[in-house]
Amino acid sequence: MISEQTKVLFDREIAKYPADQKQSAVMACLAIVQQERGFVSAESEKLVADYLGMAPIAVHEVTTFYNMYNQQPVGKYKLNVCTNLPCQLRDGAKALEHLEHKLGIAMGETSADGLFTLQQSECLGACADSPVMLVNDLTMCSCMSNEKLDQLIDGLRSAEAN
């Protein structure tokens, strides 16, 4: 079920495109659903597809193509570590390994306290600053040494304790 408030937000995005191209708003509509529900379920994909007049598989293809759409619940802090080749050559894999050890989870998992989900990411477009990571799909963190990773995690945990 799509709330009236969500329909208003969908319609605002749809209005940005010609009437016969409302499917162009699919990414924005998925982002709205995720903002509202925390992730994009298969049911949510179908609701978006119906609203935009698209095949559900077409919406699913968008959801699964981009890292920014969560297909299941994630922790409060989603950490996407770039593991593309340039970052690999500059310790991207070591950064991911360090976070796995520090958080006690493997890539793709969420910590028991529900705070952190650790994911790998394809190129984030900051190769010269690697290793890089994206926090909650919004904040880019560059040149992430083990010390900087520890500071980030400890700072986020500290913010939750206050």
Side-chain angles (χ1 to χ4, degrees):
M1 185 79 175
I2 298 176
S3 70
E4 287 305 314
Q5 179 182 3
T6 300
K7 287 180 183 179
V8 168
L9 295 173
F10 280 10
D11 289 341
R12 186 181 319 159
E13 295 302 322
I14 292 167
K16 296 176 182 177
Y17 301 97
D20 64 335
Q21 296 176 23
K22 66 182 184 177
Q23 296 89 350
S24 299
V26 66
M27 291 183 70
C29 291
L30 288 170
I32 291 165
V33 167
Q34 181 164 289
Q35 181 73 29
E36 182 179 283
R37 299 178 182 184
F39 70 105
V40 179
S41 66
E43 176 190 346
S44 296
E45 289 177 352
K46 177 145 180 33
L47 292 170
V48 169
D50 290 346
Y51 201 84
L52 297 177
M54 298 174 68
I57 188 63
V59 175
H60 183 68
E61 288 169 343
V62 173
T63 306
T64 57
F65 183 79
Y66 294 100
N67 282 348
M68 65 190 163
Y69 301 116
N70 307 319
Q71 297 171 325
Q72 58 191 5
V74 296
K76 182 169 184 179
Y77 301 105
K78 184 171 81 167
L79 310 175
N80 281 14
V81 179
C82 183
T83 57
N84 218 355
L85 184 59
C87 279
Q88 290 285 2
L89 295 173
R90 297 190 60 192
D91 296 332
K94 289 180 184 176
L96 181 60
E97 187 178 298
H98 182 78
L99 286 170
E100 286 178 325
H101 178 72
K102 182 161 185 73
L103 298 172
I105 58 175
M107 188 270 301
E109 295 180 343
T110 300
S111 59
D113 60 8
L115 281 181
F116 300 99
T117 297
L118 186 57
Q119 297 179 335
Q120 69 180 24
S121 180
E122 285 301 316
C123 185
L124 294 173
C127 303
D129 296 335
S130 62
V132 295
M133 62 186 294
L134 196 56
V135 179
N136 287 346
D137 300 318
L138 296 172
T139 305
M140 177 76 78
C141 301
S142 301
C143 304
M144 296 305 290
S145 64
N146 287 350
E147 295 77 25
K148 286 178 78 174
L149 291 168
D150 289 343
Q151 288 174 355
L152 174 69
I153 298 304
D154 295 344
L156 293 172
R157 280 189 174 140
S158 176
E160 289 303 310
N162 294 329

